[in-house]
Amino acid sequence: MELRALRAFVEVAKSGGFTLAAERLFVTQPTISKLIGKLESELGHPLLHRGRKQCELTDYGRAVLVYAESILRNLADIERALDDVAGLKRGELRIGIPPLGPRLFVPLIGAFKRRYPDIELKLFEDGSYAIEMALADGQLEMGVLLAPVDSQRYGHRLLLDDRLALVAPARSYWTRRRDEVGLAELAEEPFILFTPAYVLNDRIAEACRQCGFVPNVAGRSGQIGMILEMVRNGLGISLLPSSQLGMMDLHDFTVRRLVEPEIPWRIELAWLRGHYLSTAARAWLAMLDDDA
């Protein structure tokens, strides 16, 4: 049984199809299909039901997935342990960050590289749901998640405590408002949100439900730059972290504090409890303690 085949199977199971799995593993779709076909042949059971648009796990596939993810996590632990034998002169640290995370992380990356120039930092940029899955199967050692974090499953460290703000076009009704806007007042506005893979959408939708409405989604994107362009061109309003907006050129936008309720944006650095934490990862945490 090849580890490549297990990785291919786990990626297809997570992504729901061969196309995205092939992109994530940097191979062709026929290669993915061949690897999984060989795995099914070796195990003697079909692992996937191949539909027109996506693949679904069979009962055999669901049983195998649990152990395949465990094998890959253990392999990642082995690789990190071997790196530690050589000390911090080489090795890598794989961290997942959200699309709003780079501005926070770039200074941290710079500080870490100055201390440990030969450690390769591999950054996985995606939403919290995808980062959690990558932590679970050992692709990542640490990841940035939106709080609250499950303390029984993860060790975690608070990185930022922030709130969401209203972002609207510069020439809009909200320009007349001096300071703050209640969430219920936005019930008739079209919303520009992140793609469904991002936990932030769920927090916004829940806050809107508390105010008695379901947000009218006019557009989505996985990149903050694209969201801002849609807002700039009058396609809708968006709710984004205040700290991130303070670093941007907002001449073409109206930004107001969001209240009643405030929507928190607290992000935490997390890692799986009970799994090996490499010397590089422990050095990253020590750096955070030094800068605290």
Side-chain angles (χ1 to χ4, degrees):
M1 188 182 299
E2 294 183 27
L3 289 170
R4 288 182 68 211
L6 288 178
R7 282 198 177 96
F9 168 64
V10 169
E11 282 297 337
V12 171
K14 287 164 50 183
S15 63
F18 286 74
T19 301
L20 188 55
E23 291 175 359
R24 289 178 173 175
L25 293 176
F26 303 102
V27 296
T28 63
Q29 286 183 244
T31 298
I32 294 285
S33 181
K34 183 178 179 181
L35 286 169
I36 293 179
K38 184 178 180 181
L39 182 61
E40 290 176 319
S41 178
E42 289 176 344
L43 294 175
H45 296 287
L47 303 180
L48 297 168
H49 174 70
R50 295 158 173 81
R52 288 186 177 182
K53 294 185 178 181
Q54 66 177 33
C55 297
E56 295 181 354
L57 289 172
T58 64
D59 290 342
Y60 298 111
R62 280 189 285 273
V64 170
L65 180 62
V66 175
Y67 293 99
E69 289 179 327
S70 177
I71 289 169
L72 294 177
R73 282 196 301 268
N74 289 335
L75 177 63
D77 285 348
I78 290 171
E79 292 172 344
R80 288 192 282 267
L82 292 175
D83 285 339
D84 283 353
V85 172
L88 286 175
K89 292 185 177 180
R90 65 176 181 85
E92 67 178 31
L93 177 57
R94 289 168 288 180
I95 303 179
I97 62 174
L100 294 171
R103 291 178 180 272
L104 171 65
F105 256 77
V106 167
L108 295 176
I109 292 169
F112 189 82
K113 292 298 288 185
R114 285 190 291 273
R115 294 188 187 194
Y116 310 107
D118 296 323
I119 297 293
E120 182 181 2
L121 290 174
K122 293 189 174 180
L123 303 180
F124 173 91
E125 189 175 353
D126 213 326
S128 288
Y129 288 130
I131 290 173
E132 283 199 70
M133 287 192 292
L135 284 169
D137 65 21
Q139 289 186 57
L140 298 175
E141 190 170 6
M142 309 179 93
V144 176
L145 303 178
L146 194 62
V149 172
D150 183 351
S151 295
Q152 292 188 333
R153 188 178 188 191
Y154 299 105
H156 53 96
R157 190 78 55 84
L158 180 66
L159 294 178
L160 185 65
D161 190 350
D162 197 6
R163 297 292 183 274
L164 298 189
L166 166 66
V167 182
R171 296 180 180 179
S172 69
Y173 167 80
W174 307 109
T175 306
R176 307 172 193 173
R177 300 293 290 274
R178 287 278 183 184
D179 186 19
E180 54 190 41
V181 173
L183 181 60
E185 298 178 76
L186 303 176
E188 301 302 319
E189 289 283 350
F191 279 65
I192 309 296
L193 300 178
F194 284 97
T195 51
Y198 297 92
V199 175
L200 184 58
N201 291 326
D202 296 341
R203 304 292 162 77
I204 292 172
E206 176 58 29
C208 290
R209 279 194 291 271
Q210 291 176 13
C211 292
F213 73 97
V214 176
N216 170 28
V217 181
R220 295 182 184 272
S221 175
Q223 301 296 325
I224 188 171
M226 184 62 178
I227 288 175
L228 289 173
E229 280 302 309
M230 286 191 278
V231 173
R232 186 200 307 272
N233 284 278
L235 299 182
I237 57 96
S238 192
L239 305 180
L240 297 171
S242 300
S243 60
Q244 302 297 302
L245 298 171
M247 306 174 187
M248 300 176 184
D249 181 358
L250 297 171
H251 286 99
D252 294 334
F253 301 94
T254 295
V255 177
R256 296 293 182 265
R257 181 184 173 198
L258 187 68
V259 296
E260 297 177 353
E262 290 188 337
I263 303 177
W265 189 68
R266 300 176 70 249
I267 58 174
E268 306 232 19
L269 181 67
W271 57 94
L272 281 175
R273 290 193 184 277
H275 287 273
Y276 184 81
L277 203 59
S278 70
T279 301
R282 294 194 297 272
W284 184 280
L285 291 174
M287 179 186 70
L288 294 181
D289 290 337
D290 291 344
D291 293 341

